[in-house]
Amino acid sequence: AGPGSFTGLRVGVSTAKGLCFAAGVPLLSVGTLETLVWQAIEGGLVPQGCRHIVPMIDARRMEVYTAVFSATGERLGEIAPRIVEPGSFDREFSEGDVLFIGDGAGKCEAVLGRPEAHFVQACPRADAMLTPALREFEAGNFKDTAYFEPFYLKDFVATVSRKNLF
């Protein structure tokens, strides 16, 4: 469901909608950040005593798409773009160890490197969607196949390439 790359989300959601429509099955959605959280939990990547999991999707420069989750997978804050700088996540650090996971985690290690910070550079895996997808299924949280749109987080801005190709 997103957030993530504009084109990647469009292709993924269009494929899922087409398969669901053709097969006559309901559509479920799972967020990218939630997928990363469950990848950490079910993959045994959460360090002992860790209080928070912070999935991070690289949004270029020192910006990431992120939210704070508990070590049990409960989202504790809003999903938002965030500039990573010294002092970011101080509240979470004050409560204990924090796991940062995702393709944005690696670039933040130099800025957030502290003894209570743990970093896992990873891309979301499809198998990590199983637990949140089952929860959505059991709750009956099906999406409207015709009108479901991914969560882009930011508006798409088209630009003209500066490269002189010809």
Side-chain angles (χ1 to χ4, degrees):
S5 135
F6 182 83
T7 304
L9 290 173
R10 301 268 306 175
V11 169
V13 168
S14 296
T15 301
K17 288 170 70 169
L19 291 170
C20 289
F21 180 77
V25 297
L27 176 66
L28 294 171
S29 74
V30 175
T32 312
L33 297 176
E34 190 176 11
T35 301
L36 284 166
V37 168
W38 284 99
Q39 186 170 320
I41 292 170
E42 293 177 343
L45 301 174
V46 182
Q48 184 72 23
C50 184
R51 297 285 308 224
H52 296 99
I53 302 171
V54 180
M56 297 180 147
I57 299 171
D58 190 356
R60 301 203 179 156
R61 297 188 185 99
M62 284 310 291
E63 186 175 39
V64 293
Y65 299 149
T66 190
V68 177
F69 289 76
S70 71
T72 58
E74 177 188 353
R75 192 175 67 173
L76 303 174
E78 293 300 312
I79 297 171
R82 190 162 179 183
I83 304 288
V84 178
E85 54 195 7
S88 296
F89 305 101
D90 277 351
R91 193 183 105 235
E92 288 77 18
F93 285 130
S94 72
E95 297 175 11
D97 286 12
V98 180
L99 172 67
F100 297 93
I101 183 170
D103 66 356
K107 73 178 184 179
C108 299
E109 190 168 1
V111 176
L112 300 175
R114 302 164 63 144
E116 58 269 38
H118 307 273
F119 299 89
V120 176
Q121 181 77 17
C123 291
R125 290 193 336 253
D127 63 334
M129 293 172 46
L130 180 59
T131 298
L134 284 173
R135 288 181 175 182
E136 292 293 303
F137 180 81
E138 290 168 354
N141 291 335
F142 303 111
K143 304 302 178 195
D144 186 313
T145 306
Y147 296 105
F148 176 74
E149 292 185 11
F151 175 47
Y152 295 115
L153 192 59
K154 284 186 172 182
D155 292 332
F156 178 71
V157 178
T159 59
V160 177
S161 176
R162 293 184 209 171
K163 296 178 185 175
N164 186 4
L165 300 175
F166 299 101

